[in-house]
Amino acid sequence: LNLAADCNAVLKALQPIFQEQGMTETVHNWEDHGYLATYIKKNGSFANLRIHPHGLVLVDLQSYNDHTKGREEVDQLLNKVEERMKEFFHGNIKRVKRLPAILRGGVIDRYWPTADGRLVEYDIDEVVYDEDSPFQNIKILHSKQFGNILILSGDVNLAESDLAYTKAIMGSGKEDYTGKEVLILGGGDGGILYEIVKLKPKMVTMVEISFASNIDQMVIDGCKKYMRKTCGDVLDNLKGECYQVLIEDCIPVLKRYAKEGRMFDYVINDLTAVPISTSPEEDSTWEFLRLILDLSMKVLKQDGKYFTQGNCINLTDALTLYEEQLSRLYCPVEFSKETVCVPSYMELY
């Protein structure tokens, strides 16, 4: 409302709507803190009417409706509330906002958070794959817009629609991978490997599984069966003409390569932004990230390039902290950044 609410007047105006539905009423009055009225129907549906003295009036309605008629009844009730408010308060309503229903307890979970903590409702219509590995829960869900989506322990990783992510982490088409040595850290969905193999590299080594990654063998198995638009056939075998997939922890592999003096033209870090856990040699996520960075620099040629995802652009503090890590490496580096819209993330990265 535009002004302070007469809580009792609002309650009297809306009471008949709920009473017409045969709902049982209970009213709580906190004097200076407004009213709370609850209305319960015989079928278990209920409504909460919360009236705040400063002018905010909230109506929450919960019901179990698995058919069109039930949803229509809910809409009709809310329409009556809205009409009565407009009729009773005339020009004193500042704003009316109705949110779509949140569907709870369904077979298919449609709600997943973005990196910056916003709740997004996806158009999920099928659970394609849902398994627990020793490391995490692995889901592949089908979206009408985005195709199959890989979700690891509640974190949206990649969808079939997200070629923009893969292209960006490879250098956005500006790099020549012909005849080059490439190291991929993570990337168990196979998207990066599939795209680079097309570009005729000398050899691509992809290092998988461990607490340093959010990828394990079950992820690879799920992706090669249900994410083929993303990975093609590269995950069908762990070795190909110009690539190999190592099911090993990337940290010891990086240390071994550094000791052997093995060098790469490109290192692409597609590990999870937050590791499942850190080993005793890292005290925090930032220590883990800096360790990966340091070890990667040791296996990168002098003119080589290191690519990685940053974070959602709304997480400015996290991005600043990451850039600070770059100044703390054992060797000086130059860096640049690019902002890309990743479709299934529904945010800029």
Side-chain angles (χ1 to χ4, degrees):
L1 304 177
N2 282 323
L3 59 160
D6 181 337
C7 297
N8 187 58
V10 174
L11 181 65
K12 295 296 184 186
L14 297 181
Q15 272 177 328
I17 297 173
F18 299 103
Q19 290 170 350
E20 289 166 7
Q21 300 290 318
M23 303 177 88
T24 303
E25 179 187 69
T26 304
V27 179
H28 303 273
N29 178 2
W30 293 287
E31 298 180 359
D32 294 338
H33 299 286
Y35 284 30
L36 169 65
T38 61
Y39 297 91
I40 303 174
K41 207 169 184 177
K42 289 182 179 180
N43 64 1
S45 299
F46 65 93
N48 291 324
L49 171 62
R50 183 70 170 97
I51 308 165
H52 294 270
H54 68 277
L56 177 64
V57 179
L58 301 174
V59 179
D60 293 316
L61 180 62
Q62 287 193 30
S63 63
Y64 180 76
N65 291 312
D66 57 357
H67 51 83
T68 303
K69 183 180 178 181
R71 290 191 290 272
E72 289 176 351
E73 289 175 355
V74 169
D75 284 336
Q76 289 169 5
L77 178 60
L78 293 176
N79 287 339
K80 288 180 180 179
V81 169
E82 192 171 320
E83 289 167 7
R84 184 68 57 87
M85 288 290 286
K86 289 178 178 178
E87 175 186 322
F88 187 80
F89 289 101
H90 304 293
N92 290 326
I93 294 179
K94 182 178 181 180
R95 182 164 57 96
V96 175
K97 177 70 174 181
R98 188 188 300 187
L99 301 178
I102 295 176
L103 306 178
R104 300 176 176 178
V107 175
I108 299 174
D109 190 353
R110 304 179 181 184
Y111 303 96
W112 301 96
T114 59
D116 60 348
R118 291 173 291 112
L119 187 63
V120 173
E121 180 176 359
Y122 286 84
D123 56 348
I124 303 296
D125 60 3
E126 183 184 357
V127 178
V128 177
Y129 182 83
D130 189 355
E131 297 288 343
D132 288 313
S133 80
F135 306 103
Q136 62 204 320
N137 174 257
I138 305 158
K139 284 184 174 64
I140 299 177
L141 307 179
H142 181 264
S143 156
K144 297 173 186 177
Q145 289 186 85
F146 307 123
N148 286 348
I149 305 175
L150 174 65
I151 300 175
L152 300 179
S153 294
D155 182 36
V156 175
N157 270 241
L158 195 75
E160 292 176 327
S161 62
D162 297 345
L163 185 59
Y165 174 97
T166 303
K167 292 290 188 183
I169 205 170
M170 291 170 53
S172 298
K174 301 169 187 174
E175 305 300 321
D176 181 7
Y177 286 92
T178 307
K180 300 298 174 58
E181 291 269 3
V182 183
L183 177 63
I184 302 172
L185 308 177
D189 52 71
I192 299 170
L193 180 61
Y194 180 54
E195 295 300 324
I196 289 183
V197 164
K198 296 177 187 177
L199 303 177
K200 310 298 182 185
K202 180 180 179 182
M203 176 56 68
V204 183
T205 301
M206 189 170 89
V207 186
E208 280 310 326
I209 199 170
S210 84
F211 291 108
S213 171
N214 66 343
I215 303 298
D216 57 48
Q217 183 65 54
M218 288 180 66
V219 175
I220 293 176
D221 291 342
C223 288
K224 73 181 180 182
K225 187 172 182 179
Y226 300 111
M227 298 283 290
R228 294 189 79 83
K229 288 183 181 178
T230 297
C231 66
D233 61 358
V234 295
L235 297 181
D236 291 351
N237 298 291
L238 297 183
K239 285 190 177 182
E241 185 177 338
C242 63
Y243 73 88
Q244 61 177 340
V245 178
L246 305 181
I247 310 299
E248 298 182 52
D249 187 332
C250 73
I251 291 177
V253 170
L254 283 168
K255 289 180 177 178
R256 184 171 75 240
Y257 285 167
K259 186 176 181 180
E260 294 170 355
R262 186 170 176 185
M263 306 296 281
F264 295 87
D265 298 287
Y266 294 94
V267 175
I268 300 176
N269 178 357
D270 195 34
L271 299 171
T272 177
V274 178
I276 292 173
S277 74
T278 53
S279 68
E281 61 188 296
E282 303 107 41
D283 295 328
S284 68
T285 296
W286 293 110
E287 289 293 328
F288 164 78
L289 292 174
R290 194 160 56 249
L291 176 65
I292 296 293
L293 278 164
D294 267 329
L295 290 172
S296 296
M297 295 304 108
K298 291 177 180 177
V299 300
L300 195 62
K301 293 180 180 178
Q302 186 70 24
D303 59 348
K305 292 185 179 180
Y306 175 89
F307 291 116
T308 187
Q309 84 276 14
N311 215 318
C312 162
I313 63 167
N314 286 342
L315 294 178
T316 53
D317 290 345
L319 290 169
T320 299
L321 282 169
Y322 190 93
E323 291 180 17
E324 288 176 3
Q325 309 308 308
L326 301 179
S327 65
R328 297 172 63 184
L329 296 174
Y330 81 94
C331 64
V333 296
E334 295 177 356
F335 72 92
S336 62
K337 51 192 173 182
E338 179 180 4
T339 300
V340 175
C341 178
V342 183
S344 77
Y345 290 10
M346 297 195 199
E347 56 190 339
L348 296 177
Y349 239 69

